[in-house]
Amino acid sequence: MNARGAGYLLAAIAFVVAWVVLCWPWLSGSVTIPFDAKAHFQAQVEFLARALHSGQSPFWNHNVFAGSPQVADPQSLIFSPAIILALLSPAPGFRMVDAFVLLHLLVAGFAVIMFFRDRGWHPAGGLMAALVFAFGASASWRIQHIGQIESLAFFAIAFWLTARMLQRGSAWAGVFAGLAAGLMVLKPDQVAMLGGYVLIGMVLAHWISGGWPSVRASLVPAALASAAGLAVITVPLLWTWLFAEATTRPEIGLGVATTGSLHPASLLTAFVGDLFGAKNPNVTFWGPYLNPNWVKDLTLSQNMAQIYMGALPMLLLIAPGLTRGWLWDKAVRPLTLLLLFMVLYALGRYTPVFQVLYDYLPGVKMFRRPADATFLIGALGAILSGYVLHRMLTAEGISFRRDLLIGGAIVLAVALVAMLLSRSEGHLGDAWAPVLAALGWFGAAVALLVVLQRWRGALAPVAAMVLVTGVVASDLGVNNGPNESTALPPQLYDVLRPTTHNQTIALLKQLTAQPAGSPRRDRVELLGMGFEWPNAGMVHGFDHTLGYNPLRLEDFSEAVGTGDGIANPGDRKFTPLFPSYNSRLANLLGLRYIASPVPIEQVDRTLKPGDLTLLARTKQGYVYENPNALPRVQFVGGWAFADFESMKLSGRWPDIDPQQAVLLDAEPPVAAPEGPAAVQAEVKLTKYRNTEVEVEVTTPAAGFVVLNDVWHPWWRAQVDGVDTEILKANVLFRAVQVPAGTHKVTFSFQPLSGAIAELRARISPQEPEDTLPPPPPYDPEEPQIVAAPGADRILAGPSPAVRDSLGLGATQPGAASRNGTASARIFGETEAH
């Protein structure tokens, strides 16, 4: 192995050692990654693992929001390396999931080192860049956002391989770059979108600088990269797009998006890591997002605005990066421009740039919080600072004394601004210690650069990398290390362990257990039990009416009243259609058990004595029963027409017994008289799995099997093996029409064919015929039957195959006319209603 290769091997070893040391608090299990990493993503991994190890598909999730298309949720982790984690263990624990997340940072660092190696840059620069990429800025402070960490890691891989593709004209590098970029985009968050624009910028910059020869040399690799990426993302992104269109957030308004802007004062954290007290538990955070004296409508939490990358990288970017113009070198000029772009993007409302991008740059309207660009600020800053270190270590006969003096003066000026700002806000006593500490780290950085420059020839590569690793890793470990935003005791999230002994969880699991064949599958509501509770059903297997997810089907949310989560009792928002726990929609949902940390009357003030029954008082709160909750599946003999949109707005239900008539917003496929019908039928729920539901019904009369799971266009149904239509019933749910007799009704979730059918309907919607057919010849002895256009097609009833399945017998001559007349009569009655 030559000296160059040995240097990069040493850099890789040093990076692994630093990674183990910096990640050890989580790897040891003494702390765990908190907040979204547990309340949202831990539950997602648990659900995925339980589904796979029980032989089920994870594509539909019935544990939250009365059902949700998990396959289309970009945060489900189905299309990510988490699938490997789920395959390895039926119940991945906290340490296992934390290690999985941290491994992304390790892989990202290796990709950065390989990027430096391909260019022949100094291995010490690659080592520092890897450390800063993995543990600087948002990569460290926002590690709880697992989806964005995954996007950042795949960005690092795609960045390296795209650069190799352009540098070498390598077809294989192009293929793998496309695959990595595709895996990055599979979780379409804002980090992935911005990372995609960085990759596009790299390609455009290469073509512009190299002219037609560069374009010609990279056309085939770039085409292969595009093809590989499209192969990865086409179907999953189709699902995600269709799902997003049906959710509460298909697009984010400019005003909402800019509430997640990075306040300009937060740029000071690039120099003074803990200026606002984000890391010190003894200091109340006084930054621009929680300080009432500053802007009041910014919605970032204290960790989202931290962009500290380390004193040495920041000093290098200033001196000699800016002072000697090295950041404008041809090799890194596009990255410098992209870093400036990311800073302007992150500032959001504080520059006019973001509004222009919002209006004209594809994808921006899909995301809130432009401060997500801090992930890319850290990534690009890491690579640029590593490049500057490379230039310093390879430059001959240059004195950097003047540069370091300028850099020191700028750092002192920034420290003075930080002190004056803290004094004006009345927090000088909180700020002086972190400012002095920051000056100490910058002093250490200056000393390190002097040593590296003065004794560059005498220092062995091992000594140089030990010095860089020691200073940078120590700096990032102290200033970006475990804190209340990134590391909390695992015991706080015990409720998300499958083996938890939590009293409330144990009671709910016991109460919701049902014997085989029971039509009941009762739902629960975890009313404000804490931030980590809403997705607990995904871990423990019971069904929650709500959940924790920013993406929720809009139809369900409008009817039931949902937010991103329900951490506190005050987060419960009632709607006209769900005005109380004692309501028809609560009963139809099968909402039988409600757990609350406070007496339920403090939340639902419309309740009267006896509406709900107090079952138990646990350590966590109160558990109530709704005695009127209906079974998950039931048979209803009659039907009635209803306008669901008007019902959601008014909250008024037709005065009809839901156990005698199902509400439909369209005519049933087989004509049936409108109105209630009392039918005693036997209904069994013989199979209930994530994507398969089987119901056996024996009924003396025709009617409807009603499944009180949320209606979604990707579900399909069969009656005795023959396809039949799933009707949208009772505003939110599913119904299938069945004849008298004993039948098996099967519901199956088919996302691929369902999404294709939905897409086809969006692209080529079927328009009603605009012209009337010519009237039939007049015969005075033959009574005239006037039918609507296409009535023979629309109202004639099911096909012969379906009629046989439903036991209706063969179609006789004239039957179409008779059915059409009956259906027309029913339509007439409905309109008169």
Side-chain angles (χ1 to χ4, degrees):
M1 182 182 294
N2 57 31
R4 178 168 167 265
Y8 279 100
L9 178 60
L10 289 172
I13 293 172
F15 177 65
V16 171
V17 172
W19 178 85
V20 171
V21 172
L22 293 175
C23 295
W24 186 250
W26 294 276
L27 297 176
S28 67
S30 60
V31 295
T32 193
I33 305 173
F35 302 118
D36 282 21
K38 291 296 171 289
H40 188 39
F41 292 105
Q42 180 75 33
Q44 300 283 356
V45 173
E46 292 276 4
F47 174 85
L48 181 59
R50 192 175 74 250
L52 295 176
H53 285 270
S54 63
Q56 298 190 63
S57 165
F59 286 177
W60 181 266
N61 183 355
H62 52 76
N63 297 135
V64 291
F65 303 119
S68 183
Q70 192 84 346
V71 69
D73 188 343
Q75 300 176 101
S76 68
L77 302 179
I78 293 174
F79 300 105
S80 82
I83 193 75
I84 301 173
L85 190 66
L87 288 169
L88 290 174
S89 172
F94 293 176
R95 287 176 64 185
M96 194 173 186
V97 175
D98 290 351
F100 160 77
V101 178
L102 297 169
L103 279 170
H104 283 78
L105 302 180
L106 181 67
V107 173
F110 281 143
V112 171
I113 291 174
M114 289 300 297
F115 173 79
F116 273 68
R117 182 180 181 276
D118 283 353
R119 273 153 178 70
W121 295 348
H122 198 286
L127 171 60
M128 189 189 74
L131 287 169
V132 178
F133 193 106
F135 299 104
S138 289
S140 176
W141 278 93
R142 297 179 61 183
I143 197 171
Q144 66 270 41
H145 296 144
I146 293 178
Q148 292 180 315
I149 294 294
E150 287 190 340
S151 295
L152 183 68
F154 280 112
F155 164 73
I157 300 169
F159 180 86
W160 159 50
L161 291 171
T162 300
R164 173 174 282 198
M165 173 192 78
L166 297 173
Q167 181 182 12
R168 303 180 179 183
S170 168
W172 280 112
V175 171
F176 287 113
L179 292 175
L183 290 170
M184 174 184 73
V185 174
L186 272 181
K187 301 166 292 301
D189 50 47
Q190 196 158 206
V191 175
M193 181 195 75
L194 294 173
Y197 281 122
V198 170
L199 300 180
I200 293 171
M202 290 172 63
V203 175
L204 293 178
H206 178 77
W207 288 350
I208 292 171
S209 65
W212 172 243
S214 297
V215 176
R216 183 175 54 196
S218 60
L219 273 181
V220 172
L224 291 172
S226 300
L230 288 173
V232 171
I233 68 174
T234 299
V235 174
L237 284 192
L238 170 63
W239 284 326
T240 297
W241 174 66
L242 292 174
F243 176 46
E245 288 290 299
T247 67
T248 55
R249 284 180 18 183
E251 183 178 290
I252 305 297
L254 178 62
V256 175
T258 56
T259 61
S261 300
L262 186 73
H263 193 281
S266 295
L267 295 176
L268 292 171
T269 64
F271 295 84
V272 185
D274 199 26
L275 175 62
F276 300 117
K279 190 171 187 293
N280 189 344
N282 299 318
V283 174
T284 301
F285 182 80
W286 59 277
Y289 310 101
L290 298 180
N291 187 339
N293 296 326
W294 291 20
V295 182
K296 295 181 173 61
D297 62 342
L298 294 179
T299 57
L300 298 184
S301 57
Q302 64 187 45
N303 66 305
M304 291 182 177
Q306 297 294 115
I307 56 174
Y308 188 75
M309 295 181 286
L312 179 60
M314 280 304 301
L315 182 62
L316 286 166
L317 291 175
I318 297 169
L322 287 176
T323 57
R324 291 191 176 271
W326 286 350
L327 292 178
W328 202 245
D329 287 355
K330 184 179 179 181
V332 295
R333 189 181 305 163
L335 301 183
T336 300
L337 292 173
L338 287 166
L339 175 61
L340 178 62
F341 168 83
M342 293 301 167
V343 173
L344 294 174
Y345 187 99
L347 290 173
R349 66 166 64 166
Y350 295 102
T351 77
V353 173
F354 184 77
Q355 183 165 354
V356 175
L357 298 174
Y358 180 87
D359 290 333
Y360 298 106
L361 193 64
V364 175
K365 291 182 179 180
M366 295 175 59
F367 303 105
R368 56 179 179 173
R369 210 166 48 218
D372 285 349
T374 52
F375 280 95
L376 278 302
I377 291 174
L380 295 171
I383 295 168
L384 288 169
S385 62
Y387 170 77
V388 175
L389 181 59
H390 149 71
R391 286 294 310 269
M392 281 194 70
L393 294 176
T394 54
E396 297 290 343
I398 298 178
S399 172
F400 295 98
R401 181 177 179 182
R402 178 175 172 273
D403 300 276
L404 294 179
L405 287 173
I406 295 173
I410 292 174
V411 170
L412 287 173
V414 172
L416 179 60
V417 170
M419 295 295 284
L420 292 174
L421 179 67
S422 64
R423 183 175 181 274
S424 68
E425 292 297 319
H427 285 274
L428 183 60
D430 296 325
W432 70 267
V435 169
L436 288 180
L439 292 176
W441 285 110
F442 275 100
V446 170
L448 175 61
L449 291 181
V450 170
V451 169
L452 290 177
Q453 198 265 336
R454 181 168 298 180
W455 289 291
R456 179 179 56 233
L459 283 174
V462 174
M465 281 185 276
V466 167
L467 288 173
V468 170
T469 304
V471 172
V472 176
S474 298
D475 184 0
L476 293 175
V478 170
N479 290 289
N480 286 2
N483 59 76
E484 60 185 356
S485 295
T486 61
L488 290 176
Q491 294 76 16
L492 294 178
Y493 298 95
D494 178 69
V495 70
L496 295 173
R497 287 186 169 120
T499 57
T500 182
H501 296 293
N502 182 280
Q503 284 187 346
T504 304
I505 294 294
L507 177 62
L508 291 174
K509 290 171 72 172
Q510 178 184 351
L511 290 172
T512 54
Q514 294 290 336
S518 171
R520 301 199 70 92
R521 187 180 170 91
D522 297 315
R523 286 191 170 93
V524 307
E525 184 164 309
L526 303 171
L527 172 61
M529 298 291 288
F531 180 77
E532 67 275 14
W533 281 71
N535 284 348
M538 297 170 65
V539 177
H540 301 290
F542 56 73
D543 295 345
H544 187 200
T545 49
L546 304 179
Y548 175 43
N549 199 322
L551 293 178
R552 307 171 305 281
L553 291 171
E554 184 177 29
D555 207 22
F556 182 82
S557 292
E558 289 179 347
V560 179
T562 68
D564 285 6
I566 184 166
N568 303 299
D571 293 339
R572 187 45 160 119
K573 307 301 180 186
F574 295 104
T575 69
L577 208 61
F578 194 114
S580 167
Y581 291 111
N582 181 31
S583 64
R584 181 176 297 191
L585 186 52
N587 297 339
L588 288 168
L589 279 166
L591 176 50
R592 190 171 181 182
Y593 303 108
I594 303 156
S596 170
V598 299
I600 197 70
E601 296 82 5
Q602 295 182 17
V603 180
D604 185 354
R605 301 185 184 279
T606 67
L607 289 173
K608 300 178 178 60
D611 286 348
L612 300 181
T613 303
L614 178 62
L615 292 182
R617 177 76 165 91
T618 68
K619 291 181 180 179
Q620 295 77 38
Y622 306 83
V623 178
Y624 296 89
E625 180 182 18
N626 171 20
N628 299 316
L630 294 171
R632 181 66 56 91
V633 63
Q634 57 191 125
F635 182 86
V636 178
W639 74 280
F641 181 81
D643 184 342
F644 294 160
E645 293 303 316
S646 296
M647 288 174 61
K648 285 191 289 186
L649 292 173
S650 67
R652 290 194 296 269
W653 293 81
D655 186 15
I656 196 166
D657 185 347
Q659 299 185 75
Q660 295 189 13
V662 61
L663 302 180
L664 304 176
D665 61 355
E667 191 87 5
V670 179
E674 186 179 0
V679 178
Q680 296 295 322
E682 181 183 6
V683 183
K684 294 181 180 179
L685 190 57
T686 55
K687 178 189 287 188
Y688 194 93
R689 295 165 72 84
N690 293 340
T691 58
E692 299 175 89
V693 179
E694 286 186 1
V695 179
E696 289 185 2
V697 58
T698 300
T699 172
F704 302 84
V705 169
V706 180
L707 178 65
N708 289 320
D709 281 344
V710 71
W711 183 92
H712 192 274
W714 301 348
W715 279 89
R716 298 291 181 263
Q718 292 184 327
V719 176
D720 299 331
V722 177
D723 292 344
T724 190
E725 181 182 358
I726 299 179
L727 306 170
K728 193 173 185 181
N730 294 332
V731 182
L732 293 176
F733 308 113
R734 311 175 205 162
V736 169
Q737 195 172 15
V738 297
T742 298
H743 305 282
K744 182 171 77 171
V745 181
T746 304
F747 298 86
S748 60
F749 185 60
Q750 299 179 19
L752 183 57
S753 60
I756 292 173
E758 185 178 355
L759 181 65
R760 186 183 297 118
R762 286 170 178 259
I763 295 174
S764 302
Q766 294 184 349
E767 297 291 340
E769 297 180 15
D770 294 329
T771 58
L772 295 174
Y778 176 72
D779 183 348
E781 297 183 0
E782 181 74 21
Q784 296 299 294
I785 300 174
V786 180
D792 59 334
R793 181 179 71 253
I794 299 173
L795 304 177
S799 66
V802 174
R803 291 182 65 84
D804 292 341
S805 169
L806 298 177
L808 298 177
T811 304
Q812 300 297 325
S817 298
R818 290 194 298 273
N819 287 337
T821 305
S823 297
R825 192 163 54 244
I826 292 172
F827 272 121
E829 292 170 358
T830 302
E831 291 168 357
H833 238 3

